[in-house]
Amino acid sequence: MEIESFRALLTEQGQALLAELREFRADQELALATRLRREYSAELVRAAFEQARLRQRAEAKFGADAWSMYFTQNGVEQATRRSVAEWRAGRFAALGVKRLADLCCGIGGDAVALARAGIAVLAVDRDELTCEVARANAAALGVAELVEVRCADVADIDTDGFDAVFTDPARRTSRGRVFDPEAYSPPLSWAVEAARRTPFGALKVAPGILHELVPEGAEAEWVSDRGEVKEAVLWFGTAAAEPYRATVLPGPHSLTGGALPDPPVGEVGRYLYEPDGAVIRGRMVAEVVRLTNGRLLDPMIAYVTSDELHPTPYAHAYELTDVLPYNVKKLKALVKERRIGTVVIKKRGASVVPEELRRQLKPSGPNTVTVIIARTGAGPVMMLGQPVGLAM
């Protein structure tokens, strides 16, 4: 989208056109566009349809806010999910942060969350269109008085006098994702230095960052939302007692750790726990073992088992009805005998393709089962059961 086309959307005509497109469906586009071009310029109609499509995509991240916001193609993909941005803003507010520099602010999702938490934000990006969008979003969501948007290179920003810096480096290029943190824009080393210039700092990194790359003195946090790991953040100045944190949303629930010894390994019990992805990324499976009074099935597999039920937000619990050596023929017979039509297949440490196995089982019937296949010291096993809270 050209910047002039975007600015046209902010006019009275542009706003009226966007309001007409709020509920449009893809199968209506041709007829609707033909009609609208009789009232509006073709360029304005094109820009409005693009913005409407972006808002539809963004609703999964921003909820109802998406219909008041503005987006770019990259902005929808790279913006922080609202729930995650609000969690981070809350952490900054709890640390006493009043003034923050948001470097590489993108479309302003984090800046809005920070402002809603009462923090004054300097939002910086080097792309002129992106800055226009961030400015429009702050105004649309009622926080313009707390958000100053500046179009500049983040390296030129003087952060003296700020309580904190938050940096979200670009981790994509025209060729796709960037996996080397020094190839981020700006590089990890620069962002770490920037975070250490103020009393508090946070730096967004890829969830798969190697633990060896976590700088000394930093707190590494992995955040998941509804079971999906969304990001990792390196925090500075928090004086965290533990090096790692896993935060599970909604909740929020935060588990800290990273220093426990290797947990025990043993036989499968009545319950199986599948730790949340943020817990696994943060290498805090040992903490889940402790919370559930359990043990691992295998020292290298992130499945925890226990003889008792200990509900925890940091793991999904399953009550097991059958634990057998892995055998497709036996599993197929059980599925048929129990009239199972829906089979949820999970696996770790086993060379099983769930879709292929499901076809072999030919499930049919009104019942549901979860099949968990895992490596153990005694060989691969299949565990049948249900998520806790569901009847078999």
Side-chain angles (χ1 to χ4, degrees):
M1 181 183 297
E2 298 296 327
I3 195 165
E4 290 308 321
S5 298
F6 174 72
R7 286 172 177 160
L9 292 175
L10 304 180
T11 66
E12 186 175 339
Q13 261 201 335
Q15 292 296 291
L17 183 50
L18 284 172
E20 285 205 54
L21 295 180
R22 173 159 183 160
E23 310 253 343
F24 98 96
R25 301 193 312 268
D27 61 350
Q28 301 172 321
E29 184 167 343
L30 182 59
L32 191 53
T34 300
R35 178 177 68 78
L36 292 172
R37 286 194 186 101
R38 299 190 192 110
E39 302 175 55
Y40 305 96
S41 71
E43 178 56 30
L44 183 58
V45 171
R46 184 198 64 77
F49 269 103
E50 180 181 348
Q51 196 59 225
R53 285 190 292 269
L54 292 172
R55 285 176 166 182
Q56 288 176 349
R57 287 175 56 195
E59 189 174 14
K61 281 189 174 183
F62 291 96
D65 276 355
W67 296 100
S68 301
M69 295 176 70
Y70 302 90
F71 301 94
T72 63
Q73 293 283 354
N74 287 340
V76 169
E77 293 174 5
Q78 299 176 18
T80 304
R81 184 178 288 262
R82 176 179 169 175
S83 56
V84 178
E86 288 176 343
W87 161 251
R88 180 166 42 248
R91 283 204 73 185
F92 273 121
L95 290 168
V97 171
K98 300 297 183 184
R99 190 164 177 249
L100 177 146
D102 179 3
L103 307 182
C104 309
C105 69
I107 61 164
D110 278 289
V112 166
L114 289 158
R116 283 172 164 171
I119 298 170
V121 183
L122 172 62
V124 183
D125 203 282
R126 64 186 177 189
D127 181 76
E128 189 177 358
L129 173 59
T130 300
C131 288
E132 289 275 353
V133 172
R135 211 172 275 120
N137 283 334
L141 296 177
V143 293
E145 73 283 357
L146 283 173
V147 179
E148 175 193 347
V149 180
R150 188 180 301 175
C151 194
D153 190 312
V154 295
D156 297 331
I157 299 299
D158 181 1
T159 56
D160 284 351
F162 287 87
D163 301 318
V165 164
F166 170 61
T167 307
D168 183 2
R171 294 179 298 282
R172 289 178 180 268
T173 68
S174 57
R175 295 187 297 275
R177 288 185 183 274
V178 172
F179 295 98
D180 176 8
E182 284 306 302
Y184 292 174
S185 180
L188 177 68
S189 55
W190 183 93
V192 168
E193 192 176 321
R196 284 177 164 155
R197 290 195 197 108
T198 52
F200 303 102
L203 163 59
K204 189 172 170 180
V205 293
I209 187 171
L210 298 174
H211 284 231
E212 294 75 17
L213 295 179
V214 175
E216 186 176 351
E219 176 196 9
E221 178 182 28
W222 285 263
V223 182
S224 71
D225 185 30
R226 301 184 187 279
E228 186 178 351
V229 180
K230 292 299 178 183
E231 65 176 51
V233 179
L234 304 181
W235 289 87
F236 299 84
T238 60
E242 303 279 3
Y244 304 133
R245 176 189 292 261
T247 295
V248 176
L249 303 174
H253 306 281
S254 272
L255 178 67
T256 59
L260 288 181
D262 291 341
V265 178
E267 294 182 353
V268 183
R270 181 178 177 183
Y271 296 94
L272 186 82
Y273 299 86
E274 181 182 24
D276 185 88
V279 171
I280 296 172
R281 292 292 182 107
R283 296 184 184 173
M284 286 183 280
V285 174
E287 278 73 9
V288 171
V289 171
R290 181 185 60 185
L291 289 170
T292 60
N293 191 27
R295 53 199 177 268
L296 295 179
L297 297 187
D298 181 279
M300 302 303 292
I301 303 294
Y303 279 142
V304 177
T305 187
S306 175
D307 303 314
E308 307 158 345
L309 178 61
H310 295 277
T312 171
Y314 306 112
H316 300 286
Y318 299 86
E319 184 171 10
L320 303 179
T321 56
D322 302 83
V323 179
L324 303 162
Y326 177 56
N327 182 286
V328 176
K329 187 176 180 180
K330 176 62 175 175
L331 181 57
K332 185 176 180 179
L334 286 172
V335 166
K336 182 177 181 180
E337 175 189 325
R338 298 177 186 181
R339 300 177 63 215
I340 293 169
T342 302
V343 181
V344 178
I345 300 172
K346 295 176 172 289
K347 58 103 176 186
R348 283 194 182 140
S351 55
V352 174
V353 179
E355 295 77 14
E356 192 176 302
L357 176 58
R358 191 176 291 107
R359 282 195 298 270
Q360 291 177 281
L361 297 178
K362 299 178 181 178
S364 177
N367 298 319
T368 300
V369 71
T370 298
V371 178
I372 305 164
I373 302 164
R375 184 181 71 211
T376 71
V381 298
M382 54 187 190
M383 298 165 280
L384 282 64
Q386 292 285 0
V388 170
L390 298 180
M392 183 68 176

